[in-house]
Amino acid sequence: MSNMRSLSFDAIIIGGGGAGLRAALELAKSGKKTAVLSKVFPTRSHTVSAQGGITCAIASSDPQDDWRWHMYDTVKGGDYIADQDAAEYMCSEGPKAVFELEHMGLPFSRFDNGRIYQRPFGGQSKNFGEGGQAARTCAAADRTGHALLHTLYQNNLKNNTTFLNEWYAVDLVKNANGDVVGCIAMDIETGEVVHVKSKATVLATGGAGRIYASTTNALINTGDGIGMALRAGFPMQDMEMWQFHPTGIYGAGTLVTEGCRGEGGYLVNKDGERFMERYAPNAKDLAGRDVVARSMVMEILEGRGCGEHGDHVFLKLDHLGDDVLGKRLPGIVELSKTFAHVDPAQEPIPVVPTCHYMMGGIPTNVHGQAIMMDADGNDQIVNGLFACGEAACVSVHGANRLGGNSLLDLVVFGRAAGMFIEGALNEGIEYLDASESDIESAMKRMTRWNESEGGETVPELKRALQSIMQNSFGVFREEENMQKGVGQLAELRERIANAYLPDKTNAFNTARVEALELDNLMEVAEATAIAALERKESRGAHSRYDYPDRDDVNWLKHSLYFPTEKKVGKRDVNFAPKTVDTFEPKVRTY
Amino acid sequence: MSTLQVSIYRYNPETDSAPYMQEFQVDTQGRDIMVLDVLHLMKEQDNGLAFRRSCREGVCGSDGMNMNGKNGLACITPLSDVVKNGKLVLRPLPGLPVIRDLVVDMGLFYKQYERIQPYLQNDTPAPAIERLQSPEDRDKLDGLYECILCACCSTSCPSFWWNPEKFVGPAGLLQSYRFLADSRDTATDERLAELEDPFSVFRCRGIMNCVAVCPKGLNPTRAIGKIREMLLANAT
Amino acid sequence: MVTNITNFGRSGLSDWLIQRFSAVVLALYTLFIVAYLLFNPGLDYATWSGLFAQTWMRIFSLLAFVSLAAHAWVGLWTVTTDYLKPTGIRIGVQTVIILAIFVFLVWGIQILWGA
């Protein structure tokens, strides 16, 4: 391996989405030698698909709005396993981060008084759930993610951030002490494999929705950071918590923003009944996403689904009028015409709950430092490793994320990680260099694929994985089916370990990238499956037929999946915010 | 009639001395799927086929390509929109160097984007909250900020083909006007000064291929016209 | 800003204005000549030369010739920069164009004002 080229940075940020770009911006401004390494050109990252907005108490639609109310909603939305210190940090720092985005040029929609437009989203309330529906989601029409991602990329250009675009991070490099000191990465265009040395390695690799057959996620959402961290032996938190978005377009899986319901749209069953009134009498269609998704599945299972097979419901928007559709939801009109062949001004959109977001991920503190557990069960910082965005589990989303909180998570914690790393670099970081054998072990799976000589190919194995996850770990789960799924995954892991990469050329070999991604999907799927089997209760997005109730006695905890032993442990949820009283767990109704 | 005949541009610099067109028979089961779905089916036949893709819903701009002679995004182009006589011809975006198969080197395109300083510039101190902007001023950004940098427009523009180093191209100019039109941007004069030469803006001949192909329905020609008006107003 | 340019003004805006202004002049001139020919079906040499003997017509024609020269230069310069990539050939062709335009312009003026 000694002929491998190496690059050195103060900080390397893996992933060019919202979180990665926000962290990079902070570091670029500080003058640290930073690079963003992204497998796609940054504006192709999945943040670009976020539609509805970024939820934040900037007190625009309601001058009395308070970040504490937002925090309450977030904690309640997360079914009380969101860490309250983290939710406090996100909600209180949020306005600063959003105003910064506006100053950077993000083209937010506006109210008549010139302030940022805010729309109602699910799970939002005023006065700690007592004051009715809030409108707290700051929006740029229904293209907020696109506007945000482009703004961040543009400001990184302005600040001369170094980009390694279309580079693929293969695995983390750990030194003899277990510190993360960089990664192995491949320049996709040339196929050159490079050792990237870094004092801080930030995983901002986003989600992994592609473990499911039906997902709103981009094709690139393959959990690369999660896979890398798991292979390096680090634990994952709350991996059983997958959000199914109520409104994915039936058949295509593309997202229809919750903002549609925020603007006044609602769901109907085959009888034309607005069924959410039965399941959530107060919030109706704007209950938490887990609640709405479950209600939809109930309607379908009880025979009130729409269409020939009764397997979806309708999202009705035609009553909103051309003005709202054209001004506030233009992207949705476009998407429904393309993917559902429906003009929402005339007809309802067929929708079905679709895998959307990974609440779990790499456990971190509010500074983005990755956390593992020592032998006595105490938190221990992983030197050199950071995570932010969807790949991280801070945890602000707990068991169910509120709409609009993901974009806020990206910018608040991307920024926080950047600021912390800057400080740490100023104080000086020295880790032991990686040895030849450390580098070689990070090269192992790359070498495996490159030397493969026959066996099953990637597309069929990926399909098998997605179908296992879809069938055994969907909206509703139960023991026997999950046991079966875990067994199938173990088998699949063997098959993947012997799979074949036919194309071994170097120039822009997308087949090799997809093979490497498959390993990561496998890691994420297995962590999800084993954690889901272990959590014997229903909480947030994790609903079990066999354990229909929340079990605060045993499970008011994070799950922690340890990859080496493939065992699940528990980690305490933080109930100690610094400036507000703890929100005690209550029965969660909307 | 469920098989589609696809002819696709192939080139792998390591194994091919020259590019060639390869024929595929793709079983679409008679469905009106997207061109991107067809590419995925082809990739199952030939693992080595290279193309970019990400969001598969027309917002990331990865899969711009030339389909039966017209640029567009494969993920939001249904076969019924593009197939003629049961045949589909797929080529990389024209005018940019090919790296492999449908993957082109977008370097020149991005360089022109960076050249117009695609970021808000405002030399007044930022307020504690957001900068206010009236809905009317914000409306001026509609049809501009939605660009996804897919390069369909610039690579269909003859002026960009002939002068890719000097003519900014429709995508870059649309973004340039996005900042010129932003009531919060104060660098108007500097921006205009950068565009006044005979190439950057004025090489636009109003051919309007950009408008015809933009998958987001944007109108770079109109934006270029507005920049010309601003240059004129500024000079007289 | 693109600064490696071989046209005279180095300003796209002035080139653009020249093209528009000269095009208007040429359009008017063409319209006038066409209309004149239509309204004078049995046109003979005396009438034709009488027209060009008048000062306003000479000025109008001169304006049209200068416009044509400018229009041709800006247009052909653009075409050469589009299609002729080797610098030597491009400069050579541009030199020929300049010379030709110059000769035609002088010749036109001579016809108009001479004799």
Side-chain angles (χ1 to χ4, degrees):
Chain A
M1 293 298 128
S2 46
N3 55 355
M4 194 192 289
R5 186 159 68 103
S6 72
L7 295 171
S8 264
F9 297 100
D10 289 331
I12 181 87
I13 291 152
I14 304 173
L21 291 186
R22 188 62 191 82
L25 184 59
E26 207 60 40
L27 286 161
K29 282 193 214 162
S30 74
K32 302 294 176 204
K33 195 177 172 204
T34 316
V36 175
L37 187 152
S38 172
K39 66 176 174 177
V40 292
F41 182 76
T43 64
R44 325 283 182 217
S45 307
H46 187 53
T47 302
V48 83
S49 293
Q51 299 171 349
I54 174 166
T55 302
C56 186
I58 60 162
S60 167
S61 80
D62 172 8
Q64 308 305 318
D65 200 12
D66 191 318
W67 66 263
R68 293 164 192 86
W69 302 348
H70 179 200
M71 179 187 164
Y72 167 83
D73 293 342
T74 301
V75 169
K76 176 187 171 189
D79 224 347
Y80 297 96
I81 59 163
D83 288 318
Q84 298 200 8
D85 58 340
E88 176 189 37
Y89 183 82
M90 178 177 81
C91 297
S92 61
E93 284 287 297
K96 238 183 278 176
V98 169
F99 293 141
E100 279 170 3
L101 287 171
E102 196 282 334
H103 298 156
M104 287 180 215
L106 200 156
F108 281 112
S109 301
R110 301 287 171 156
F111 283 120
D112 284 340
N113 64 4
R115 292 209 62 191
I116 293 172
Y117 172 72
Q118 290 184 299
R119 61 162 57 108
F121 247 52
Q124 292 180 357
S125 76
K126 296 179 182 184
N127 197 16
F128 310 107
E130 305 294 321
Q133 176 75 41
R136 194 173 289 131
T137 301
C138 311
D142 56 357
R143 302 188 176 97
T144 316
H146 169 277
L148 184 147
L149 187 63
H150 279 251
T151 301
L152 284 175
Y153 179 64
Q154 291 162 351
N155 278 271
N156 272 285
L157 288 179
K158 187 178 181 180
N159 287 281
N160 297 315
T161 304
T162 303
F163 282 100
L164 300 172
N165 290 337
E166 297 185 324
W167 281 54
Y168 186 78
V170 180
D171 261 316
L172 296 172
V173 175
K174 290 201 294 183
N175 68 12
N177 300 332
D179 311 323
V180 173
V181 291
C183 66
I184 297 295
M186 175 177 74
D187 178 352
I188 298 173
E189 184 177 331
T190 62
E192 187 192 7
V193 178
V194 174
H195 174 209
V196 181
K197 298 181 193 172
S198 176
K199 292 171 185 163
T201 303
V202 184
L203 295 174
T205 50
R210 286 284 152 183
I211 61 168
Y212 287 92
S214 168
T215 174
T216 64
N217 283 193
L219 293 155
I220 58 169
N221 284 25
T222 52
D224 297 331
I226 309 292
M228 283 190 275
L230 282 169
R231 270 189 304 277
F234 299 122
M236 281 307 131
Q237 182 168 282
D238 294 338
M239 286 301 288
E240 66 278 24
M241 297 301 179
W242 281 86
Q243 178 165 83
F244 287 77
H245 196 290
T247 54
I249 291 181
Y250 172 70
T254 41
L255 175 68
V256 175
T257 175
E258 185 167 309
C260 289
R261 284 169 283 137
E263 297 288 349
Y266 54 85
L267 297 162
V268 295
N269 59 23
K270 73 167 183 189
D271 306 320
E273 182 205 7
R274 185 176 183 180
F275 58 85
M276 280 313 297
E277 290 177 335
R278 272 188 278 121
Y279 296 93
N282 297 314
K284 299 184 183 116
D285 296 83
L286 289 177
R289 284 179 177 172
D290 55 332
V291 176
V292 180
R294 268 195 298 277
S295 310
M296 292 167 70
V297 174
M298 294 303 293
E299 287 298 297
I300 291 167
L301 291 177
E302 287 169 12
R304 291 189 293 277
C306 306
E308 198 185 333
H309 305 291
D311 54 357
H312 57 274
V313 300
F314 281 134
L315 174 64
K316 193 173 137 46
L317 299 177
D318 54 331
H319 58 288
L320 297 182
D322 288 342
D323 202 41
V324 171
L325 289 174
K327 262 261 97 59
R328 304 292 184 209
L329 303 166
I332 293 308
V333 175
E334 222 176 277
L335 279 173
S336 359
K337 284 181 181 166
T338 309
F339 288 102
H341 309 293
V342 154
D343 178 0
Q346 311 290 333
E347 292 169 87
I349 310 172
V351 291
V352 72
T354 306
C355 168
H356 182 58
Y357 188 85
M358 173 178 79
M359 269 76 73
I362 302 158
T364 69
N365 59 22
V366 294
H367 308 300
Q369 293 178 286
I371 290 168
M372 56 184 186
M373 221 175 227
D374 66 13
D376 306 321
N378 298 315
D379 284 357
Q380 194 189 333
I381 299 292
V382 181
N383 286 332
L385 185 65
F386 297 79
C388 51
E390 190 170 344
C393 181
V394 188
S395 145
V396 284
H397 307 307
N400 169 62
R401 175 175 70 77
L402 289 189
N405 265 359
S406 60
L407 290 183
L408 188 64
D409 171 4
L410 303 186
V411 291
V412 167
F413 292 108
R415 177 175 173 269
M419 292 191 304
F420 181 84
I421 293 167
E422 184 190 346
L425 287 167
N426 287 340
E427 283 172 24
I429 300 177
E430 283 309 325
Y431 297 130
L432 199 64
D433 268 353
S435 67
E436 288 281 300
S437 74
D438 296 331
I439 297 170
E440 230 153 278
S441 72
M443 276 294 294
K444 227 165 48 195
R445 70 181 185 115
M446 178 85 154
T447 312
R448 214 281 305 159
W449 281 110
N450 287 343
E451 289 170 359
S452 67
E453 284 177 342
E456 293 177 277
T457 58
V458 172
E460 50 188 315
L461 292 166
K462 194 194 292 180
R463 260 200 304 274
L465 182 143
Q466 291 168 336
S467 115
I468 296 169
M469 295 308 292
Q470 194 77 26
N471 293 331
S472 297
F473 304 93
V475 175
F476 284 106
R477 301 164 173 182
E478 57 91 32
E479 183 80 15
E480 201 182 327
N481 196 12
M482 284 197 287
Q483 287 283 10
K484 194 178 100 194
V486 169
Q488 287 171 326
L489 283 175
E491 230 171 80
L492 187 69
R493 181 181 274 280
E494 282 307 303
R495 287 164 66 193
I496 290 176
N498 294 303
Y500 176 46
L501 172 68
D503 181 5
K504 303 207 173 54
T505 57
N506 289 316
F508 221 99
N509 187 339
T510 51
R512 181 180 284 128
V513 172
E514 284 175 28
L516 294 166
E517 288 173 341
L518 179 64
D519 289 330
N520 294 327
L521 288 171
M522 183 66 229
E523 297 291 346
V524 177
E526 194 166 51
T528 298
I530 293 175
L533 190 59
E534 192 63 29
R535 188 181 279 273
K536 294 187 170 42
E537 63 156 355
S538 289
R539 179 187 299 273
H542 180 65
S543 312
R544 295 185 57 150
Y545 285 128
D546 42 0
Y547 299 92
D549 299 320
R550 195 170 85 187
D551 176 3
D552 283 350
V553 177
N554 295 302
W555 278 107
L556 194 60
K557 297 274 181 194
H558 296 299
S559 74
L560 211 54
Y561 169 77
F562 297 96
T564 322
E565 307 85 23
K566 301 199 180 198
K567 286 271 166 4
V568 177
K570 293 179 184 176
R571 181 169 169 250
D572 287 339
V573 173
N574 181 291
F575 284 99
K578 294 187 180 68
T579 62
V580 290
D581 292 338
T582 302
F583 297 118
E584 297 296 340
K586 289 193 290 195
V587 179
R588 185 165 162 256
T589 54
Y590 284 103
Chain B
M1 281 306 286
S2 60
T3 344
L4 177 73
Q5 198 192 340
V6 186
S7 177
I8 186 168
Y9 181 100
R10 297 301 304 269
Y11 177 64
N12 181 337
E14 280 164 76
T15 54
D16 304 324
S17 55
Y20 61 98
M21 297 302 288
Q22 187 185 0
E23 302 298 317
F24 276 85
Q25 301 294 326
V26 183
D27 182 12
T28 60
Q29 299 173 342
R31 294 167 302 156
D32 186 18
I33 52 179
M34 301 292 174
V35 173
L36 180 63
D37 301 325
V38 173
L39 280 164
H40 281 137
L41 292 171
M42 289 161 73
K43 197 171 171 71
E44 289 191 19
Q45 289 181 38
D46 180 350
N47 197 231
L49 178 63
F51 54 91
R52 292 188 175 103
R53 84 285 180 279
S54 172
C55 76
R56 61 83 176 87
E57 57 187 22
V59 292
C60 79
S62 296
D63 60 354
M65 60 187 67
N66 188 277
M67 299 169 284
N68 275 354
K70 191 175 172 187
N71 289 354
L73 296 179
C75 59
I76 53 168
T77 305
L79 292 177
S80 56
D81 270 13
V82 69
V83 171
K84 285 176 212 137
N85 305 322
K87 204 171 164 181
L88 178 63
V89 181
L90 298 176
R91 292 174 181 275
L93 289 174
L96 293 175
V98 173
I99 296 172
R100 174 173 176 171
D101 299 341
L102 300 181
V103 178
V104 291
D105 181 350
M106 306 263 284
L108 270 173
F109 174 79
Y110 294 138
K111 207 181 98 195
Q112 291 298 354
Y113 172 67
E114 288 169 29
R115 220 186 92 195
I116 59 100
Q117 305 190 318
Y119 37 80
L120 192 85
Q121 300 179 60
N122 188 315
D123 46 20
T124 62
I129 59 165
E130 71 269 39
R131 288 196 163 91
L132 300 183
Q133 183 174 45
S134 71
E136 295 71 32
D137 280 340
R138 170 58 184 75
D139 283 352
K140 292 177 188 156
L141 308 183
D142 283 341
L144 305 173
Y145 81 97
E146 300 93 324
C147 172
I148 57 175
L149 299 179
C150 65
C152 284
C153 60
S154 291
T155 61
S156 70
C157 171
S159 290
F160 189 73
W161 295 340
W162 307 151
N163 289 291
E165 294 91 2
K166 293 178 176 176
F167 176 50
V168 173
L173 290 171
L174 187 79
Q175 286 320 291
S176 181
Y177 184 61
R178 175 248 173 278
F179 290 100
L180 285 166
D182 196 320
S183 61
R184 301 168 296 170
D185 191 277
T186 56
T188 307
D189 290 349
E190 294 84 341
R191 291 181 188 281
L192 289 177
E194 285 295 314
L195 297 173
E196 205 261 336
D197 65 84
F199 283 97
S200 303
V201 175
F202 287 101
R203 203 36 75 103
C204 170
R205 309 250 75 93
I207 299 163
M208 295 179 82
N209 276 0
C210 53
V211 184
V213 299
C214 177
K216 305 308 285 181
L218 310 178
N219 190 332
T221 307
R222 186 164 56 210
I224 293 168
K226 299 265 190 194
I227 296 177
R228 271 205 211 103
E229 282 172 27
M230 290 181 83
L231 281 164
L232 189 61
N234 210 34
T236 50
Chain C
M1 183 159 63
V2 177
T3 50
N4 44 338
I5 299 164
T6 55
N7 79 337
F8 296 132
R10 293 202 154 209
S11 154
L13 183 65
S14 61
D15 278 5
W16 185 74
L17 281 173
I18 288 168
Q19 285 308 72
R20 260 80 205 147
F21 179 77
S22 58
V24 170
V25 171
L26 290 171
L28 290 176
Y29 193 74
T30 309
L31 276 176
F32 172 79
I33 295 291
V34 170
Y36 186 83
L37 291 175
L38 285 176
F39 284 107
N40 295 283
L43 185 66
D44 57 12
Y45 177 77
T47 326
W48 184 246
S49 110
L51 171 67
F52 283 87
Q54 299 177 58
T55 309
W56 67 266
M57 185 58 195
R58 288 187 174 187
I59 293 172
F60 190 19
S61 299
L62 180 64
L63 186 63
F65 291 178
V66 172
S67 293
L68 186 62
H71 199 89
W73 165 244
V74 173
L76 289 172
W77 174 81
T78 305
V79 172
T80 56
T81 52
D82 272 353
Y83 294 100
L84 301 176
K85 292 301 165 187
T87 313
I89 297 178
R90 185 172 63 247
I91 290 177
V93 172
Q94 286 173 355
T95 310
V96 171
I97 290 171
I98 291 173
L99 280 173
I101 290 174
F102 180 73
V103 168
F104 283 127
L105 185 62
V106 172
W107 191 8
I109 293 169
Q110 211 179 13
I111 293 170
L112 211 54
W113 296 92

